[in-house]
Amino acid sequence: MNITKEQIDDLNAVVKVAITKEDYQDKVDTILKDYKKQANIPGFRKGQVPMGLIKKQYGKAVLVDEVNKLLQDNLNKYLTEEKLDVLGNPLPKQQDSFDWDQEELDFEFELGLAPSFEVPLKTKKAITHYKIVADKKMVTEQVERIQKQYGKLVSKDVVEKTNEVSGKFFNEAEEIDNQTLLELDKLKSKKAIDSLVGKKVGDTVTLKTKGLVKEDHLLGSILGISKEKSEKLNIEVSFTITEINEREPAELNQELFDKLFGKDAVTSEKELRQRIIDDSEKQFEQQADQKLLNDVTEYFIENTKFDLPSGFLTKWIQVTGEKELSEEEATEEYQKSEKGLRYQLIEGKVINENNLQVQFDELKEFAKGFIKSQMAQFGQLDPQEEELDNIAARVLGNQDEVKRLSEQLMSQKLLNLYKEKANLKTKEVTYENFIKEVNG
């Protein structure tokens, strides 16, 4: 067998593979002898079928199968030994009049080669790394939400602007018939609030759905319909009041603090506010880090210039899917995937050049940290190490979970690398202003 490479340009090459009978004949003969021993052909006893008949019936199929195995094994070996960084897989060149009976079988494969490029981590342009702080207004609002959530309900005879009103929405034409709870301070429509204020249990008011609530995505749930349907809705619905309550805020006392954080973990309103700041800013840090990772990714994609073997990749997309695409469909698919492919190459280069690897022990600790945070959300604040080890072992026994956690851990390693080496500028903002800047 002889394998050679013809370089077309920096991004494209053709590999030629020449296979002679000596490369496959012994293997083919051995398989055909086994066929002869097992063949059941009418008119012949088992094992007594003439080899000529065996070759006539099975010879070509066995030959093609063995040659394809040789091609696959030796082509992969050649690519590895020659350290060829290929994109996609080698594509066999079409040969219209191929003769399987010739002494030497010649095959050609097109290769798309990965481009050569550099990724300077010290970016020319400074990239903003946000530090999100919990401001006094946000903390006060969170304290008020806690007091409201843990407060007690006091029944009222007449609706006031601060009340919670239970009732039933109804509209026969739109099949709306839903018992729900309305908090008047979450209503957007002043007309709706005015029509409810002063009403009593048993009264029915007519409300317009458009602009009813401050957060439009909540409309579907209070009407008992899908979010998609609620987004298009602009009708009148009746609302019959069944209950009126005032939520009396909970006192900021030790009983409430213990309920929230465990016994004596917080002992004063000042400590409560600091705990809210600490917990909020820890969550904010995760959002700021994700924003940084996204921004560095976009910067690299926009500023790392290299060509791709687009013609080869378009052809590869065209012929390697579940069904063959037209040239126009393959071109469209390539254009959709090009940005992602560029970042895969950039990320791969950064990982290799900085020797970023995910070791099993690291992955196990990462998984345990993730499990611990999940358990904390359900009130298990101090799980035993043995329990964490057992859960982590089960999680890491699932290959999909291993893949997901490995990707998350690698993202964390990349983030730490960018924090260390990229050109960053820190900007301190409130969460409200961070959201405004992220959304443009």
Side-chain angles (χ1 to χ4, degrees):
M1 180 180 297
N2 184 39
I3 303 180
T4 57
K5 177 169 70 74
E6 178 187 342
Q7 193 77 28
I8 307 300
D9 56 38
D10 289 342
L11 299 173
N12 295 275
V14 172
V15 169
K16 298 180 179 181
V17 184
I19 297 179
T20 63
K21 277 193 173 183
E22 288 76 13
D23 297 317
Y24 61 79
Q25 195 62 57
D26 287 348
K27 184 68 174 174
V28 169
D29 288 343
T30 299
I31 293 172
L32 291 176
K33 285 176 184 176
D34 288 339
Y35 276 32
K36 184 178 184 300
K37 293 175 185 176
Q38 302 298 326
N40 284 310
I41 296 179
F44 299 95
R45 285 185 295 167
K46 186 176 181 180
Q48 298 301 313
V49 182
M51 180 56 79
L53 187 56
I54 294 292
K55 286 183 178 180
K56 185 177 179 181
Q57 286 204 359
Y58 304 110
K60 184 62 68 65
V62 172
L63 167 64
V64 172
D65 190 44
E66 287 307 308
V67 168
N68 281 328
K69 287 178 184 176
L70 273 174
L71 280 172
Q72 185 175 3
D73 292 345
N74 286 278
L75 188 56
N76 289 338
K77 184 179 177 184
Y78 175 80
L79 296 177
T80 302
E81 289 176 349
E82 295 296 314
K83 296 185 171 69
L84 293 177
D85 192 0
V86 299
L87 302 178
N89 295 314
L91 285 179
K93 293 187 75 172
Q94 188 68 35
Q95 295 172 279
D96 295 328
S97 55
F98 191 81
D99 182 6
W100 285 95
D101 294 323
Q102 59 192 331
E103 288 296 315
E104 182 177 287
L105 303 175
D106 295 314
F107 302 90
E108 293 186 0
F109 295 87
E110 296 178 64
L111 301 182
L113 304 177
S116 177
F117 59 91
E118 297 299 323
V119 187
L121 293 180
K122 194 70 174 176
T123 54
K124 290 181 181 178
K125 175 188 172 184
I127 298 172
T128 301
H129 184 202
Y130 290 94
K131 177 178 172 54
I132 309 171
V133 295
D135 61 319
K136 188 175 180 181
K137 176 176 175 250
M138 192 213 82
V139 175
T140 297
E141 287 175 351
Q142 180 64 10
V143 170
E144 289 173 353
R145 274 195 292 272
I146 290 171
Q147 288 184 276
K148 186 175 181 180
Q149 181 182 349
Y150 288 90
K152 64 180 180 180
L153 291 176
V154 179
S155 180
K156 294 289 183 178
D157 295 326
V158 177
V159 177
E160 298 175 7
K161 286 186 177 181
T162 55
N163 289 167
E164 297 178 3
V165 182
S166 296
K168 179 181 281 192
F169 277 108
F170 184 79
N171 180 290
E172 186 174 5
E174 295 295 335
E175 298 181 337
I176 295 172
D177 187 359
N178 190 54
Q179 184 74 30
T180 191
L181 173 70
L182 281 184
E183 297 178 61
L184 266 65
D185 61 358
K186 290 185 179 178
L187 296 183
K188 181 180 180 181
S189 169
K190 184 176 183 301
K191 189 174 180 180
I193 295 171
D194 290 342
S195 65
L196 284 164
V197 169
K199 295 297 187 291
K200 299 178 180 178
V201 171
D203 289 347
T204 299
V205 297
T206 300
L207 304 174
K208 286 189 175 181
T209 58
K210 190 171 180 64
L212 178 62
V213 289
K214 293 176 181 177
E215 298 180 64
D216 290 336
H217 66 277
L218 296 177
L219 181 62
S221 63
I222 67 171
L223 294 178
I225 58 176
S226 69
K227 181 174 178 289
E228 291 73 23
K229 183 177 178 179
S230 72
E231 289 171 349
K232 302 172 185 175
L233 213 57
N234 184 12
I235 61 169
E236 289 186 341
V237 290
S238 67
F239 181 74
T240 303
I241 300 170
T242 56
E243 192 175 349
I244 306 166
N245 290 301
E246 176 80 27
R247 191 171 287 275
E248 194 174 278
E251 289 185 37
L252 297 176
N253 55 26
Q254 195 59 48
E255 181 183 354
L256 177 61
F257 302 151
D258 289 349
K259 190 180 292 184
L260 290 169
F261 304 108
K263 186 167 176 58
D264 296 332
V266 169
T267 59
S268 67
E269 182 180 346
K270 182 179 179 181
E271 288 182 16
L272 170 65
R273 288 176 174 272
Q274 188 58 51
R275 180 68 177 258
I276 291 171
I277 290 172
D278 294 342
D279 291 349
S280 298
E281 291 186 352
K282 189 174 181 181
Q283 293 180 17
F284 294 159
E285 186 179 356
Q286 294 175 1
Q287 294 183 56
D289 282 350
Q290 186 59 55
K291 169 68 173 164
L292 175 62
L293 191 59
N294 293 344
D295 287 348
V296 173
T297 297
E298 287 298 322
Y299 178 90
F300 284 155
I301 292 172
E302 292 299 320
N303 293 277
T304 307
K305 304 298 181 184
F306 54 82
D307 293 325
L308 289 169
S310 54
F312 169 84
L313 290 169
T314 301
K315 187 188 296 186
W316 181 73
I317 290 171
Q318 184 178 1
V319 301
T320 57
E322 288 185 7
K323 68 170 187 174
E324 188 164 328
L325 305 178
S326 68
E327 190 174 338
E328 293 76 14
E329 289 171 329
T331 299
E332 186 179 343
E333 283 299 312
Y334 171 71
Q335 289 169 349
K336 287 179 185 175
S337 61
E338 182 184 358
K339 186 175 181 180
L341 175 58
R342 286 183 176 277
Y343 186 65
Q344 283 179 24
L345 291 170
I346 293 168
E347 185 182 68
K349 191 170 186 68
V350 172
I351 289 170
N352 289 333
E353 290 188 346
N354 293 276
N355 196 30
L356 301 182
Q357 298 176 1
V358 173
Q359 305 291 346
F360 181 77
D361 288 345
E362 288 180 301
L363 188 61
K364 183 180 177 182
E365 289 305 310
F366 184 75
K368 285 165 65 175
F370 179 77
I371 293 162
K372 196 171 182 179
S373 66
Q374 292 288 99
M375 294 173 75
Q377 293 179 22
F378 296 95
Q380 291 179 264
L381 301 177
D382 190 25
Q384 296 297 310
E385 195 68 19
E386 184 179 355
E387 184 181 10
L388 289 173
D389 283 333
N390 290 337
I391 298 174
R394 289 199 298 273
V395 169
L396 296 177
N398 182 318
Q399 288 305 307
D400 290 337
E401 284 297 306
V402 169
K403 183 175 182 291
R404 184 178 66 84
L405 290 169
S406 295
E407 288 171 353
Q408 289 182 4
L409 180 52
M410 182 54 74
S411 291
Q412 187 62 53
K413 285 174 175 280
L414 286 166
L415 180 65
N416 293 339
L417 179 71
Y418 298 152
K419 283 182 178 181
E420 178 187 347
K421 296 193 174 182
N423 180 14
L424 306 181
K425 61 178 180 182
T426 302
K427 183 174 183 179
E428 190 172 290
V429 291
T430 63
Y431 185 70
E432 185 178 354
N433 287 336
F434 172 73
I435 294 300
K436 286 179 182 177
E437 292 202 23
V438 167
N439 294 330

